[in-house]
Amino acid sequence: MISESQRAAVASVGAAALCWGVAGAVHLRFVHHSNGRHAGWSLPEGGGWYEFAMLAGFLVTMYSVSGLLRRAAWWPSLSLSFGAGIGIITVLTLGQGTRYRVAAVVMAAVGIASPVVNRLWGRHHPI
């Protein structure tokens, strides 16, 4: 069984990877490929690490988030705020345009919402 502090540490790394990948995706922009059967959206050449970070960060964060938000302790939910802070710093370092600022505001909203959700919802529904 994984402890609360270990789950918070894993969620911090996952959320930071997810937000770093999103920052890279905002910077590089998604492109549409329509070459027969393999049509779809992806990042352009050179964006493979951002795609990997988004996928791995999403999977790790989604695994950890359910155990973080439904706890009596408030501090584990700050791991998601930590990841959002890393994403905000990264996205504003990569650029200052409108799309960068919109991404930073969305990440800030998620970072602020996680402790609030824990406070309002998590304490009333213990596991």
Side-chain angles (χ1 to χ4, degrees), residues 25-59:
V26 167
H27 182 64
L28 295 176
R29 295 187 183 185
F30 280 101
V31 293
H32 186 263
H33 301 283
S34 58
N35 52 352
R37 291 183 12 199
H38 304 289
W41 292 88
S42 70
L43 291 177
E45 283 296 319
W49 284 109
Y50 291 123
E51 286 179 354
F52 177 74
M54 276 194 303
L55 176 64
F58 176 78
L59 293 174

Side-chain angles (χ1 to χ4, degrees), residues 3-19 57 60-71 73-87 107 110-116 118:
S3 73
E4 205 167 78
S5 60
Q6 289 171 333
R7 188 179 296 260
V10 167
S12 294
V13 172
L18 174 64
C19 290
V60 169
T61 303
M62 289 301 114
Y63 168 75
S64 301
V65 77
S66 64
L68 293 176
L69 295 181
R70 298 188 74 184
R71 300 283 183 211
W74 61 271
W75 63 268
S77 64
L78 291 179
S79 60
L80 301 176
S81 301
F82 170 77
I86 296 295
M107 288 181 197
V110 170
I112 292 169
S114 66
V116 172
N118 182 48

Side-chain angles (χ1 to χ4, degrees), residues 97-114:
T98 304
R99 69 179 191 259
Y100 298 100
R101 292 181 184 186
V102 167
V105 166
V106 169
M107 288 181 197
V110 170
I112 292 169
S114 66

